[in-house]
Amino acid sequence: FNLDAESILQVLPEIFPSYDATINVSAKDYSYHEMLALETIRKIVFLMDAHGKDYTGSLLHRICTTHGQKPWLVELFGALMPEQAVIPDSEGCLPLHHLILQPYSSSTKALVGAVLQINKQAGMHKIPKYDSYPCMVAIRLGWTWEGGLEELVKANPELLDVQADHGLCPTALAASMETDLTTIFELLRKAPHLCAT
């Protein structure tokens, strides 16, 4: 892609089918906010190009598979296309799955929160590679309560009762993985009835 403003206007219909490409304006006619929006679109176009044309995931998938992404970008495109949060890509993964499977970064918690804000049901879809729910996979990968597990549990608290991984519920799994005590405590606090069983 050529990434000048005029070229971005040419590809907007590919990104937003409802965009009216017949409007003829030049870059000099844009306000500051419109130029910021165009810069955002330029980055998205770059993202799309960077992932190759044979990638079959949605735009939200592409954003979530790019390491170091900003939460506001997920929020923006999630607001524009919320259905993409629960559409699997060619590997059967949702955008949330890609965030969990990527190397953990300082923005992971905010990104997970942003995707779950779009559609919290994304947390109820199993990650194909593990055949397990996102919160269980996050525990297996060493996530802590403060590191993003809280967002997954708050979105789908009913999963605290599910015995999925080797017959273990999330709390028992966290304890068996020798997760930090704060994480185990918070999981128990969210499902105190598990202490009685």
Side-chain angles (χ1 to χ4, degrees):
F1 286 105
N2 185 353
L3 299 179
D4 64 289
E6 296 299 329
S7 297
I8 292 167
L9 289 173
Q10 305 274 324
V11 298
L12 281 177
E14 295 173 27
I15 301 170
F16 305 109
S18 61
Y19 178 78
D20 185 356
T22 61
I23 298 173
N24 187 13
V25 287
S26 67
K28 67 179 189 253
D29 297 325
Y30 294 127
S31 71
Y32 172 74
H33 294 292
E34 288 167 328
M35 288 306 291
L36 284 178
L38 276 176
E39 178 63 15
T40 300
I41 298 300
R42 183 190 71 76
K43 289 177 180 175
I44 296 303
V45 169
F46 177 77
L47 262 177
M48 292 173 70
D49 196 37
H51 274 281
K53 297 181 174 57
D54 16 330
Y55 182 73
T56 59
S58 69
L59 184 54
L60 194 54
H61 281 90
R62 293 174 190 202
I63 293 169
C64 291
T65 56
T66 305
H67 189 65
Q69 223 22 272
K70 303 291 183 215
W72 66 264
L73 202 52
V74 172
E75 291 167 7
L76 172 66
F77 282 89
L80 291 169
M81 299 164 270
E83 69 283 354
Q84 291 186 0
V86 290
I87 296 174
D89 63 10
S90 59
E91 299 170 356
C93 287
L94 304 180
L96 176 65
H97 298 164
H98 288 294
L99 289 174
I100 291 170
L101 296 174
Q102 279 191 18
Y104 192 86
S105 74
S106 58
S107 62
T108 299
K109 178 179 179 173
L111 287 163
V112 167
V115 170
L116 289 169
Q117 187 72 26
I118 299 163
N119 191 326
K120 68 178 190 170
Q121 290 305 309
M124 296 296 290
H125 293 262
K126 289 184 174 184
I127 298 176
K129 179 179 177 181
Y130 289 87
D131 190 32
S132 191
Y133 296 103
C135 69
M136 301 294 262
V137 174
I139 290 168
R140 285 202 172 281
L141 295 176
W143 284 31
T144 63
W145 184 255
E146 293 90 5
L149 192 56
E150 178 181 8
E151 281 69 20
L152 291 166
V153 170
K154 280 185 178 178
N156 304 111
E158 60 273 24
L159 286 177
L160 289 174
D161 291 324
V162 173
Q163 295 180 353
D165 283 24
H166 307 290
L168 300 175
C169 67
T171 307
L173 178 63
S176 74
M177 302 285 298
E178 299 181 12
T179 307
D180 72 294
L181 290 177
T182 301
T183 298
I184 296 168
F185 172 75
E186 291 295 342
L187 288 168
L188 281 170
R189 205 162 68 89
K190 294 295 178 190
H193 60 280
L194 293 175
C195 293
T197 57

